Amino acid sequence: MPVLRIPTPLRAYTNGQADVTVSGSNISEALSDLTNQYPTIKPHLFNEGGDLRPFVNLFVGENNIKDLQGVDTPVKDGEKIMLIPSIAGG
């Protein structure tokens, strides 16, 4: 199963877990499994319409899914998915 790396600010919603094992053959399925395991993280990743929030960046290896197939990007067993929220400020 793929492993999703959770950034420090969102670990409060995964019981402090930095790495969460998820099931799924693509990003969409992996995120669905993540939100089933940890429902309180869902509003931090998805908007009210169910779309991935624009400031949420997901990488499979070193590739941003926005440059691949989006949430349809396939993931392999044991592959690392990194969740990196955009940071704003001055």
Side-chain angles (χ1 to χ4, degrees):
M1 290 195 276
V3 175
L4 206 144
R5 181 82 158 145
I6 306 296
T8 303
L10 295 178
R11 290 181 192 165
Y13 306 104
T14 60
N15 298 327
Q17 299 296 310
D19 293 313
V20 176
T21 301
V22 291
S23 62
S25 61
N26 63 29
I27 295 293
S28 180
E29 291 173 2
L31 290 175
S32 178
D33 187 48
L34 174 70
T35 58
N36 284 335
Q37 291 182 59
Y38 302 100
T40 57
I41 200 170
K42 189 172 186 174
H44 300 279
L45 303 179
F46 297 96
N47 64 24
E48 297 78 24
D51 295 321
L52 200 59
R53 291 188 181 275
F55 58 80
V56 173
N57 295 297
L58 290 155
F59 288 80
V60 176
E62 296 182 8
N63 299 304
N64 190 325
I65 66 163
K66 292 174 184 172
D67 298 329
L68 300 171
Q69 298 169 29
V71 294
D72 295 323
T73 300
V75 290
K76 301 174 191 157
D77 191 34
E79 197 156 36
K80 290 262 188 194
I81 305 165
M82 294 195 335
L83 172 59
I84 302 175
S86 296
I87 306 294

